[in-house]
């Protein structure tokens, strides 16, 4: 479904992403795990066509995102790290705008589709409220709803649970799991347990390179923790006196 | 393009921006019109056009500064640039929305024409030409404002830069270096100089071409700017 080959992104001399390759199968939930600044968001921004690719390529259903961005973008729903919300609009106005923006063509009416999406992320009760007046959890869900508009085959979710309370985190995870049958999902996080709870496969990124790639069955928390914590302290050492 | 146009219009009129722009413009222009009418005893609207242009230069950045700067600051550009729409559609949608707000403010001055027609003596051709010049002038200012808004994510910076550029281009015809060639070039780029023939009732093709081509140039630069940002 998604093939990523030797993907690179450089900012001047600094390589934010350095030759990353992985594939995502249809109907799979892939977790991108890594500490902050590891290159997760950069990778996602490249897949969605928000930023350019320095080297390598991304194929979405066989379509190259650089050669045919319009076709590729039609297949992708993207929830960036900070949900792209127009705060002066109501939830309904906003989703209606996103529907028109994505030039959605479905065999149901616009109203039915938006109602459907609102139900999926449980925000029907706030549909007529202005986005600026919503709580963070609701804003995040409106952002999620935006990604679901047009029923894209692929969902790319950048840290969808950040800043939510434990209940909301559970809800969002349930939503992600429920979407698995209809969508292929790439989802990034820096929380280890989340990957185990939601994903089929995990790719761990650190400092722009892949540190480890495993299927869910192979995931062993202790082993991951070892890698993860090693990653976090790498690049500096502490003396006794510093503590 | 339609979706973006609709959203921008909604944004102008759900926030105060659109109302403030149109309201303040109407207040100031009506003030100058009544002065012209009652104090100077001139029953035409062509006389207040240069003043309207100055007012427009001071007010238009209010509606153009947010066009892209706000998107970048709020990171909503991620939605636009990852949706299956071309950059040209985004730019044109935004441009026409801002231009429409300007046209509404222009339409709000039409009652002055009726008032002048009833109590004064207006020349239809001259009025029409000066309005044409004014609309072309506004079209160019909107494009300049949009382009500058693409350069920064700070709305205040966008507004101040737009003031700088438009005021320079407007008053540059007053600059006198004494060197013929330099003055000629400066005058060529002056946005007020090209409007003079319109205010005299002549729709000069060269003026129309000047305004339209520079408007087009700034729209093109805006598209390039947005596209090039992705490559950095």
């Amino acid at each position: 479904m998604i093939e990523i080959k030797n993907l690179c992104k450089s900012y001047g001399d600094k390589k934010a992403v350095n030759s990353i390759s992985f594939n995502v199968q249809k109907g799979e939930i892939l977790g991108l795990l890594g500490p902050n600044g590891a290159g997760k968001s950069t990778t996602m921004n490249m897949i969605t066509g928000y930023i350019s690719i320095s080297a390598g390529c991304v194929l979405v259903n066989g379509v190259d995102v650089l050669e045919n961005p319009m076709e590729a973008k039609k297949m992708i729903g993207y929830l960036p790290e900070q949900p792209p919300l127009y705060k002066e609009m109501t939830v309904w106005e906003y989703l209606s705008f996103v529907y028109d923006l994505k030039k959605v063509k479905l065999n149901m009416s616009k109203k039915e589709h938006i109602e459907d999406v609102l139900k999926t992320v449980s925000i029907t009760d706030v549909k007529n409220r202005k986005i600026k007046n919503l709580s963070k959890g609701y804003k995040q869900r409106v952002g999620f709803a935006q990604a679901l508009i047009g029923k894209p085959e692929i969902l790319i979710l950048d840290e969808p649970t950040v800043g939510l309370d434990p209940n909301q985190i559970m809800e969002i995870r349930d939503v992600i799991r429920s979407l698995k049958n209809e969508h292929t999902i790439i989802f990034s996080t820096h929380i280890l347990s989340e990957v185990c709870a939601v994903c089929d496969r995990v790719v761990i990124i650190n400092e722009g390179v892949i540190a480890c790639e495993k299927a869910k069955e192979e995931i062993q928390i202790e082993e991951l923790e070892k890698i993860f914590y090693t990653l976090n302290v790498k690049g500096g050492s502490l003396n006794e006196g510093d503590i | 393009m339609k979706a973006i146009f609709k959203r921008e219009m909604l944004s102008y009129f759900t926030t105060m921006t659109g109302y403030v722009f149109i309201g303040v413009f109407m207040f100031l222009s009506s003030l100058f019109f009544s002065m012209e009418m009652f104090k100077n005893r001139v029953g035409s609207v062509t006389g207040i056009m240069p003043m309207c242009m100055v007012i427009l230069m001071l007010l238009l950045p209010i509606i153009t500064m947010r066009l892209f700067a706000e998107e970048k600051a709020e990171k909503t550009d991620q939605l636009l640039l990852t949706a299956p729409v071309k950059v040209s559609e985004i730019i044109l949608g935004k441009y026409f929305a801002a231009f429409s707000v300007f046209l509404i403010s222009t339409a709000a001055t039409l009652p002055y024409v009726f008032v002048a027609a009833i109590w004064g003596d207006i020349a239809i051709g001259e009025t029409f030409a000066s309005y044409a010049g004014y609309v072309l002038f506004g079209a160019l200012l909107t494009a300049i404002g949009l382009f500058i808004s693409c350069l920064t994510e700070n709305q205040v910076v966008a507004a101040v830069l737009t003031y700088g550029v438009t005021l320079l281009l407007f008053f540059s015809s007053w600059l006198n270096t004494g060197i013929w060639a330099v003055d000629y070039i400066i005058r060529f780029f002056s946005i007020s100089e090209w409007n003079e023939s319109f205010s005299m009732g002549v729709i000069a093709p060269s003026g129309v071409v000047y305004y339209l081509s520079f408007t087009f140039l700034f729209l093109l630069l805006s598209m390039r700017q947005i596209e090039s940002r992705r490559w950095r």
Side-chain angles (χ1 to χ4, degrees), chain A residues 137-163:
Chain A
Y138 268 112
K139 279 184 189 154
Q140 187 74 19
R141 280 192 257 180
V142 177
F144 205 145
Q146 162 275 124
L148 292 173
I149 292 282
K151 286 193 175 172
E153 291 172 59
I154 296 162
L155 284 179
I156 297 192
L157 312 170
D158 197 353
E159 305 199 355
T161 57
V162 156

Side-chain angles (χ1 to χ4, degrees), chain A residues 9-11 45 48-53 66 69-71 73-74 76 78 80-89 93-94 96-98 100-103 110 130 146, chain B residues 1-8 10-12 14-15 66 70-87 89-90 94 227 229-232:
Chain A
K9 178 73 191 176
S10 319
Y11 294 105
N45 280 335
T48 52
Y50 178 58
I51 54 172
S52 67
I53 295 170
L66 273 190
M70 288 298 134
E71 277 308 304
K73 284 174 182 176
K74 274 183 197 163
I76 298 176
Y78 181 35
E81 198 170 353
Q82 186 182 328
L85 306 173
Y86 293 103
K87 300 193 175 73
E88 74 276 10
M89 296 174 112
E93 281 168 351
Y94 173 68
S96 159
F97 160 66
V98 175
D100 294 338
L101 182 74
K102 291 186 177 178
K103 299 168 189 157
K110 178 176 173 181
K130 290 211 177 216
Q146 162 275 124
Chain B
M1 191 178 105
K2 221 174 107 193
I4 294 180
F5 174 80
K6 259 170 68 185
R7 198 208 76 76
E8 291 294 331
L10 189 76
S11 167
Y12 280 128
T14 46
T15 61
R66 46 169 292 281
E70 192 182 36
E71 301 269 359
K72 265 181 279 179
E74 298 284 325
K75 301 220 189 260
T76 42
D77 60 335
Q78 279 190 306
L79 173 66
L80 301 182
L81 297 174
T82 58
V85 282
K86 295 192 188 94
V87 171
E89 293 179 66
I90 301 173
K94 283 177 173 291
E227 271 164 14
R229 262 190 24 228
R230 297 171 53 220
W231 293 92
R232 271 173 234 153

Side-chain angles (χ1 to χ4, degrees), chain A:
Chain A
M1 195 80 189
I2 305 173
E3 289 174 65
I4 291 164
K5 294 178 193 160
N6 303 322
L7 199 61
C8 295
K9 178 73 191 176
S10 319
Y11 294 105
D13 292 337
K14 193 181 172 290
K15 284 203 162 172
V17 171
N18 193 359
S19 200
I20 280 183
S21 305
F22 60 89
N23 293 332
V24 191
Q25 307 304 324
K26 199 174 163 55
E28 190 177 42
I29 302 182
L30 179 94
L32 273 186
L33 185 68
N36 293 328
K40 301 188 297 284
S41 295
T42 311
T43 307
M44 292 184 145
N45 280 335
M46 280 192 280
I47 300 172
T48 52
Y50 178 58
I51 54 172
S52 67
I53 295 170
S54 302
C57 75
V58 176
L59 299 177
V60 178
N61 244 349
V63 179
D64 191 314
V65 294
L66 273 190
E67 279 172 15
N68 200 346
M70 288 298 134
E71 277 308 304
K73 284 174 182 176
K74 274 183 197 163
M75 291 185 263
I76 298 176
Y78 181 35
L79 168 63
E81 198 170 353
Q82 186 182 328
L85 306 173
Y86 293 103
K87 300 193 175 73
E88 74 276 10
M89 296 174 112
T90 65
V91 174
W92 186 276
E93 281 168 351
Y94 173 68
L95 293 178
S96 159
F97 160 66
V98 175
Y99 185 97
D100 294 338
L101 182 74
K102 291 186 177 178
K103 299 168 189 157
V104 176
K105 285 189 190 79
L106 292 171
N107 47 13
M108 59 170 89
S109 74
K110 178 176 173 181
K111 192 168 173 272
E112 281 169 344
H113 180 53
I114 296 178
E115 294 277 4
D116 234 25
V117 169
L118 287 171
K119 220 180 284 168
T120 310
V121 293
S122 329
I123 50 171
T124 312
D125 52 329
V126 296
K127 70 178 178 187
N128 292 321
R129 283 180 53 189
K130 290 211 177 216
I131 294 176
K132 65 178 173 195
N133 297 330
L134 298 179
S135 69
K136 188 168 161 88
Y138 268 112
K139 279 184 189 154
Q140 187 74 19
R141 280 192 257 180
V142 177
F144 205 145
Q146 162 275 124
L148 292 173
I149 292 282
K151 286 193 175 172
E153 291 172 59
I154 296 162
L155 284 179
I156 297 192
L157 312 170
D158 197 353
E159 305 199 355
T161 57
V162 156
L164 302 182
D165 68 37
N167 277 335
Q168 292 168 333
I169 291 179
M170 296 304 285
E171 277 174 36
I172 291 276
R173 284 182 191 168
D174 287 340
V175 174
I176 295 174
R177 273 194 293 257
S178 72
L179 293 169
K180 190 188 164 186
N181 300 327
E182 292 169 44
H183 307 267
T184 303
I185 302 170
I186 300 184
F187 137 76
S188 81
T189 177
H190 55 260
I191 306 161
L192 193 54
S193 58
E194 193 153 271
V195 171
C196 302
V198 181
C199 303
D200 299 321
R201 210 150 52 85
V202 57
V203 170
I204 302 179
I205 301 182
N206 184 44
E207 292 180 359
V209 293
I210 293 184
C212 169
E213 188 181 346
K214 279 193 185 297
K216 188 178 184 177
E217 300 76 50
E218 300 165 30
I219 300 175
Q220 284 171 330
I221 289 281
E222 297 76 22
E223 188 190 351
L224 280 185
E225 269 176 351
K226 209 168 104 195
I227 297 171
F228 206 55
Y229 292 129
T230 323
L231 300 177
N232 277 339
V233 295
K234 197 173 159 188
S237 60
L238 287 175
N239 299 320
E240 231 170 77
D242 296 337
I243 301 167

Side-chain angles (χ1 to χ4, degrees), chain B residues 191-210:
Chain B
I191 47 178
S192 51
E193 190 86 359
W194 284 97
N195 221 286
E196 267 169 24
S197 61
F198 289 97
S199 59
M200 285 187 280
V202 183
I203 299 181
S206 57
V208 176
V209 170
Y210 168 83

Side-chain angles (χ1 to χ4, degrees), chain B residues 15-62:
Chain B
T15 61
M16 293 300 286
T17 325
Y19 297 110
V20 168
F21 170 75
I22 294 168
V24 174
F25 180 83
M26 280 178 73
F27 174 72
L28 290 175
S29 62
S30 63
L31 212 61
F32 285 105
F33 177 68
S34 10
M35 271 183 28
E36 186 90 344
M37 198 71 182
F38 300 117
K39 191 160 169 282
N40 300 342
R41 306 262 164 195
V42 181
S44 93
V45 285
T46 41
I48 62 161
M49 278 303 173
M51 211 53 227
C52 282
M53 287 181 189
V54 174
I55 300 169
L56 188 68
M57 278 195 297
L58 297 174
L59 292 181
L60 202 65
I62 295 171

